[in-house]
Amino acid sequence: PLLAQHHHPRATEATTKYFLTQATAAAMLLFASTTNAWLSGQWEIQQMTHPLPTTIITLALALKIGLAPLHAWLPEVLQGLDLTSGLILSTWQKIAPFALLLQINASTPLMLISLSLLSILVGGWGGLNQNQLRKILAYSSIAHLGWMVLVLQFSPSLTLLTLSLYIIMTSSLFLSFKTNKTTTINSLATSWAKTPTLTLLIPPILLSLGGLPPLTGFMPKWLILQELTKQDLAPAATVAALSALLSLYFYLRLCYAMTLTMSPNTIINTMPWRLPS
């Protein structure tokens, strides 16, 4: 009901997509718990020792939060919603699946690492060609979830730190865009005229999400890379670090559009160089 409160065809479509995705994931969760009870005689989530139900439940939770390759619904759903509903979807809705993921004994570590690296790559790659802020934020969400799941089985506290910092940064970004009433890159260029203070605040948040060193978002990435190196997973750490550069590119693009361009000189609204006589 919250997602469909704006009676617009796009919002209704996004709500339907979201409902079907979550219903599928919930059915998979139920199937995994039943299978686990059948195989081990235990209903508890901590007692999952058999690889089959563990794999199914991990895939179900990956579908719930939008990890690649089960991510395709997230950008589409987020694009159809207004910024307030999008904020709830990107932050609050991630907490419950993570609470379950943290409790599963990962008997399939390779699968989690593969899912997370693919998510970081897809999250960076998908956001490159986007003009819509909500889709960019959706791909940013996919990439950040990849970082969280990458270190999940080695240091759950680090995953929780990354999740909480991601929620704080994304909330501030969504609320800033809501205040500005901006949904595209082109409308960002006029925001300095509307709210000059926010124009100073948004670029540091964007660069923090990208993980640039002096800012908050650098800390969890650095700690995750350090933890992966300790676990002898240097190749995974290298792929993750290089894939983060893709995300950084589109965050920089947003900063450039916001701070270094004047309104008529954005990509679409170019002024004619010769006035009609």
Side-chain angles (χ1 to χ4, degrees):
L2 272 175
L3 305 186
Q5 62 184 339
H6 295 280
H7 295 295
H8 188 274
R10 280 306 300 270
T12 314
E13 182 193 345
T15 310
T16 311
K17 283 179 181 171
Y18 182 68
F19 174 72
L20 290 172
T21 310
Q22 298 300 315
T24 309
M28 281 174 72
L29 271 172
L30 286 170
F31 177 65
S33 57
T34 316
T35 312
N36 183 56
W38 181 43
L39 289 168
S40 64
Q42 295 285 344
W43 283 99
E44 283 126 19
I45 195 166
Q46 283 96 348
Q47 303 291 334
M48 297 190 72
T49 49
H50 200 280
L52 177 65
T54 314
T55 305
I56 298 171
I57 205 167
T58 309
L59 286 172
L61 293 168
L63 179 60
K64 260 191 180 301
I65 53 177
L67 276 178
L70 308 161
H71 68 286
W73 62 274
L74 186 57
E76 293 299 318
V77 168
L78 212 57
Q79 179 57 32
L81 304 174
D82 69 313
L83 288 165
T84 317
S85 308
L87 168 64
I88 296 166
L89 188 68
S90 301
T91 54
W92 180 254
Q93 291 298 100
K94 304 276 187 262
I95 296 171
F98 261 101
L100 290 177
L101 265 175
L102 285 163
Q103 292 177 70
I104 297 170
N105 298 320
S107 57
T108 50
L110 188 64
M111 187 180 77
L112 276 180
I113 292 172
S114 313
L115 282 173
S116 50
L117 287 179
L118 192 60
S119 294
I120 299 170
L121 200 58
V122 166
W125 205 264
L128 293 181
N129 202 25
Q130 298 297 335
N131 193 29
Q132 297 288 332
L133 292 179
R134 282 165 295 183
K135 276 199 173 175
I136 286 176
L137 286 167
Y139 282 110
S140 151
S141 172
I142 293 164
H144 277 89
L145 289 169
W147 280 93
M148 292 169 213
V149 174
L150 189 56
V151 80
L152 183 74
Q153 54 204 333
F154 309 118
S155 173
S157 53
L158 199 47
T159 298
L160 282 172
L161 172 74
T162 317
L163 180 63
S164 45
L165 284 176
Y166 165 75
I167 286 175
I168 293 165
M169 291 188 288
T170 307
S171 303
S172 49
L173 204 54
F174 264 104
L175 293 169
S176 306
F177 289 153
K178 188 173 168 56
T179 311
N180 267 355
K181 296 184 174 64
T182 50
T183 52
T184 60
I185 290 184
N186 292 328
S187 59
L188 272 181
T190 57
S191 61
W192 61 270
K194 291 186 237 168
T195 48
T197 322
L198 274 181
T199 312
L200 289 173
L201 286 175
I202 294 176
I205 300 169
L206 284 165
L207 294 175
S208 184
L209 275 168
L212 276 187
L215 302 160
T216 317
F218 172 64
M219 179 179 60
K221 288 187 176 173
W222 183 28
L223 292 170
I224 287 169
L225 292 175
Q226 191 181 17
E227 183 61 38
L228 288 174
T229 316
K230 281 181 191 168
Q231 301 289 342
D232 289 333
L233 288 168
T238 311
V239 172
L242 290 175
S243 304
L245 293 174
L246 292 166
S247 300
L248 188 60
Y249 172 78
F250 61 75
Y251 292 127
L252 280 170
R253 203 165 136 233
L254 291 180
C255 292
Y256 173 76
M258 198 157 192
T259 54
L260 299 173
T261 52
M262 301 288 276
S263 175
N265 299 330
T266 49
I267 307 151
I268 291 175
N269 306 332
T270 47
M271 289 285 280
W273 64 276
R274 186 182 292 168
L275 292 169
S277 53

